[in-house]
Amino acid sequence: MTKLEKLTLQLQSITYERIELHGILTSYTDMDLQNRLNSFGMLKKEHKQVMSALQKLPMEISDDVNKVKQLIEENVSYSYLHSQVLRDWTQRKESVHVLRLKNRQLWKEQIELQESCEELKRLLKEAHEMICDPSAEQQQVQEEYQGLHANDQDSQRRHTSQKY
């Protein structure tokens, strides 16, 4: 093969490649254009949605601000109520402490009164026995007299024995 034939073959090969690349490029651009058109439609739709959301945003922000204000008011109210409940609880706790101390004192007084009552019952019983049973009183007086008389006799004996 001559040089001319080689060059002719190369030229034909390059021409075929160019035609093939042109076809690929044409189909790619057509597809890309179609994709861009589809993308544009989707972008337009998304743009409408975003603009609609942006138009609703100030109203939503206003609603949310009102909700936050309401929640703040509720929080302040609950805080105030909590402080009142805490004060009441503290006062009641102190009152319970005072009442417990009073209760202890009353128990002590009750025990003392019961002991005094028992002592008084015993004394009344003794007085009753003395009043209702005069022979017992006479016997007690006699016993005391005999005890004193015996002491006197003992002291007289001692006194007389000391003289002698």
Side-chain angles (χ1 to χ4, degrees):
M1 271 205 327
T2 64
K3 222 176 181 188
L4 182 65
E5 289 176 353
K6 281 184 183 177
L7 285 174
T8 307
L9 277 177
Q10 277 181 341
L11 182 62
Q12 280 179 353
S13 172
I14 290 173
T15 306
Y16 289 134
E17 284 179 14
R18 186 179 72 80
I19 291 171
E20 185 180 346
L21 287 173
H22 187 305
I24 291 172
L25 183 61
T26 305
S27 72
Y28 178 75
T29 0
D30 286 343
M31 285 176 54
D32 189 41
L33 181 61
Q34 192 64 24
N35 285 341
R36 282 193 227 155
L37 288 175
N38 288 340
S39 291
F40 180 72
M42 289 186 347
L43 285 174
K44 195 173 179 180
K45 187 177 179 181
E46 285 179 25
H47 177 71
K48 283 183 181 180
Q49 289 174 345
V50 168
M51 291 307 289
S52 175
L54 281 175
Q55 287 174 349
K56 293 178 185 176
L57 190 62
M59 291 173 32
E60 290 176 359
I61 289 173
S62 177
D63 289 344
D64 289 343
V65 166
N66 288 335
K67 286 179 184 177
V68 167
K69 285 180 181 178
Q70 183 181 3
L71 289 173
I72 288 172
E73 289 174 4
E74 284 182 30
N75 189 18
V76 168
S77 174
Y78 286 133
S79 176
Y80 176 74
L81 290 174
H82 179 262
S83 65
Q84 277 186 326
V85 167
L86 190 60
R87 270 185 266 128
D88 289 348
W89 179 77
T90 304
Q91 288 174 351
R92 292 184 195 284
K93 186 177 175 183
E94 290 172 3
S95 297
V96 165
H97 178 70
V98 168
L99 289 172
R100 283 185 178 154
L101 291 175
K102 285 182 180 178
N103 193 22
R104 285 184 193 144
Q105 183 63 34
L106 288 173
W107 274 104
K108 289 178 184 178
E109 290 176 10
Q110 181 182 2
I111 290 170
E112 290 172 0
L113 286 173
Q114 285 176 340
E115 289 173 353
S116 297
C117 186
E118 292 298 321
E119 179 66 21
L120 185 60
K121 283 180 183 177
R122 187 187 61 77
L123 291 173
L124 285 174
K125 185 178 178 183
E126 287 178 8
H128 179 69
E129 287 175 358
M130 289 181 162
I131 292 170
C132 292
D133 195 8
S135 62
E137 185 180 339
Q138 281 179 341
Q139 186 178 3
Q140 185 179 1
V141 170
Q142 265 184 343
E143 287 174 2
E144 288 175 7
Y145 176 73
Q146 286 175 355
L148 286 174
H149 185 62
N151 285 340
D152 283 344
Q153 286 178 354
D154 285 341
S155 48
Q156 281 180 357
R157 284 185 201 147
R158 274 187 258 139
H159 189 60
T160 50
S161 61
Q162 287 176 354
K163 286 184 180 177
Y164 295 110

